[in-house]
Amino acid sequence: MTNSYDRVVDAHIPFLDLKKQYLHIKAEVLAKIEQVLDSTSYTGGTYVEEFENAFAQYCQVNYAVGVNNGTSALHLAMVALGIGPGDEVIVPANTFIASAWAVSYTGATPVFVDCHPGTWQIDAQKIEEKITSRTKAIIGVHLYGQPFDIDAVKQIAHTYNLFLVEDAAQAHGAEYRGKRVGSFGEMACFSFYPGKNLGTYGEGGAITTSQQAYADHLRRLRNNGATERYYHDELGFNMRMGSLEAAVLSIKLPYLDEWNSRRKQIAHMYQQGIVNQNIILQQQPDFAQSAYHLFVVTTPNRAHLMQYLNERQIFPGLHYPLPCHLQKAYAHLGYQAGDLPEAEYLSAHCLSLPMYAELTNMEVERVIEALNGYICPKS
Ligand SMILES: *Cc1c(COP(=O)(O)O)cnc(C)c1O
C-alpha cells in the first residue's frame, strides 16, 4: 500500500519543515490574505472573532480570546487571576521558559517542581511539598503535546484552593480521558508560533475559558484595559491578535485533526519501530492522547547520538537543554544543580526526533533504522 506520504526521500531530514505544509495550502492562504488586506481591518475585529469562535468550538469551551503570542496568553491569564507580588505559582521545571516568565512578569515567584521520571510531565506527587501560604496557582504544561495528569493536579488545586491554568502551547487537539485539553483549568493558554501544531505566519496566542467573566476581563486587558475606546479602567496591555495571523489560523484550523493524526501515525511508527535499549521513549499513560508536538527520547550519551544522526543527515532538536530552575535569569531564586534531578537528567539526555505531518514513511523508516543501528559507547 502506498499513500500520499510515500514520496521521494530527501537526503536531509530536518527536525521540522514548514515549507511543505505551506505549499499544500498556499492558494487558500493567499486568497484569504488578499481579503484581509482589501478589508483594511488589520487588527482585532472580524477576522480575529471568526478565528476565536472556531477555536473555542474546537477546544470544546465557551470562549477563546486571541492575543499576540503564547507568552502574552500566559501573562494575561496570571493578571486576570489577580496574581501579583508576594504570590507563588507552581510551574514544572522542564518546560519552555515562557511558562515561568508569565509568573515573573506579574511580580510573583515561580516555584519549580520536578517531573515524573517516565512521562516527563509535572510530578503530581511532588507538588504538595512546594505549596506555602503564598501559593495561588498551578500552571500545568502539556509538554511535547502530551497531557499531564490533570485529575491528580486538579485534586491538589482543589484541596489547597489554588487556580489551575493549562499551558497548552504544545497541545492543540491533545485529549485527556477523551476530552480536548483547554477546558480543564480556570483558563488554558495556547501559542500559534509557526512551529506549533497549529501555527500562524507570524506570532499568535489565545486563552480559552468557560467563564464569561474571565473572557470579558481578558478582552479588556489585551486592549489597553479599555472597554470603551480611550477610557482605561485598569492597567492594560497592547496584546491584540493581528487580522492576518487570525485569518491564516482560520484557514489552517480545519486541517489540524488531519495533521495531528498523521503525527500520531509517525509516533506509532517510532514507538513500534525503535527497539534500541539505549533509546528511551516517553511513557504514554492511558489517560493521555498526545498531539505529538514533539517526539522526545532520552539516551545515555546525547552528544554521541546527535553526532551519529547528523552524520546520517538526520537533524534532531533539543527541548530543552537547561531546565528553568537552572537558567541564569532565575539564579536569584537560589536553586542548585541536583535540586530537581529528573528535570536535570531529562535536559541533559533528551533529543527530539524529526516530527511534522509531512514527513514521509520512508523518512521515518530511515530515522528508525539509524536509531536501531546505533551503538552507544560504554560509559
Ligand atoms: C511556545 C510555548 C510558549 C510560548 O508561546 P510563544 O507564542 O512563543 O510566546 C509557552 N509555553 C510553552 C510550553 C511553549 O511551548
Side-chain angles (χ1 to χ4, degrees), residues 69-71 74 95-96 98-99 141 167 169-170 191 193 196 204 320:
N69 60 57
T71 309
L74 286 157
T95 179
F96 179 60
S99 315
V141 183
D167 181 340
Q170 303 188 353
S191 164
Y193 180 76
K196 303 289 161 103
Y320 296 92

Side-chain angles (χ1 to χ4, degrees), residues 47-305:
Y47 292 101
V48 173
E49 279 166 29
E50 179 188 348
F51 172 67
E52 286 175 337
N53 293 335
F55 193 64
Q57 203 174 5
Y58 181 84
C59 295
Q60 306 164 344
V61 290
N62 295 336
Y63 307 97
V65 178
V67 291
N68 57 343
N69 60 57
T71 309
S72 297
L74 286 157
H75 181 185
L76 288 194
M78 293 294 107
V79 174
L81 292 173
I83 309 289
D87 294 338
E88 294 175 356
V89 177
I90 302 283
V91 180
N94 61 313
T95 179
F96 179 60
I97 194 69
S99 315
W101 286 161
V103 177
S104 302
Y105 291 158
T106 69
T109 304
V111 174
F112 296 110
V113 170
D114 209 354
C115 60
H116 182 277
T119 64
W120 305 331
Q121 303 296 351
I122 190 166
D123 191 340
Q125 310 275 6
K126 293 182 182 153
I127 294 176
E128 279 185 275
E129 65 200 49
K130 299 284 182 147
I131 293 174
T132 72
S133 58
R134 290 190 290 275
T135 311
K136 290 285 154 48
I138 302 172
I139 298 181
V141 183
H142 304 304
L143 197 69
Y144 310 145
Q146 180 172 302
F148 63 87
D149 189 352
I150 298 177
D151 284 345
V153 175
K154 239 182 145 160
Q155 182 58 47
I156 297 165
H158 182 77
T159 304
Y160 292 89
N161 202 19
L162 309 175
F163 297 119
L164 174 63
V165 172
E166 294 170 75
D167 181 340
Q170 303 188 353
H172 323 68
E175 289 177 358
Y176 179 77
R177 299 192 192 282
K179 193 168 187 290
R180 291 224 168 106
V181 302
S183 60
F184 292 96
E186 263 66 39
M187 300 175 212
C189 302
F190 290 86
S191 164
F192 306 116
Y193 180 76
K196 303 289 161 103
N197 289 34
L198 179 63
T200 190
Y201 299 146
E203 304 273 351
I207 306 112
T208 55
T209 181
S210 291
Q211 299 187 46
Q212 189 181 355
Y214 285 140
D216 289 345
H217 192 188
L218 291 164
R219 289 185 207 287
R220 195 160 70 232
L221 285 169
R222 74 172 169 188
N223 191 30
N224 294 308
T227 20
E228 194 183 338
R229 204 168 201 188
Y230 305 128
Y231 293 89
H232 308 279
D233 306 334
E234 65 183 310
L235 180 65
F237 303 84
N238 175 1
M239 292 182 174
R240 290 179 302 261
M241 174 176 263
S243 303
L244 288 169
E245 282 92 340
V248 169
L249 290 167
S250 292
I251 296 289
K252 284 189 166 199
L253 182 59
Y255 292 99
L256 179 58
D257 282 342
E258 183 189 323
W259 290 333
N260 277 351
S261 63
R262 174 60 186 161
R263 284 175 184 269
K264 203 195 293 186
Q265 272 180 6
I266 294 166
H268 286 172
M269 288 176 76
Y270 282 145
Q271 285 157 350
Q272 306 289 305
I274 299 169
V275 292
N276 189 328
Q277 304 270 328
N278 287 307
I279 312 290
I280 311 298
L281 310 189
Q282 185 181 21
Q283 275 176 20
Q284 313 277 314
D286 289 341
F287 57 68
Q289 178 53 67
S290 181
Y292 293 108
H293 173 58
L294 299 172
F295 197 95
V296 175
V297 301
T298 64
T299 191
N301 188 336
R302 177 175 64 200
H304 188 263
L305 176 58

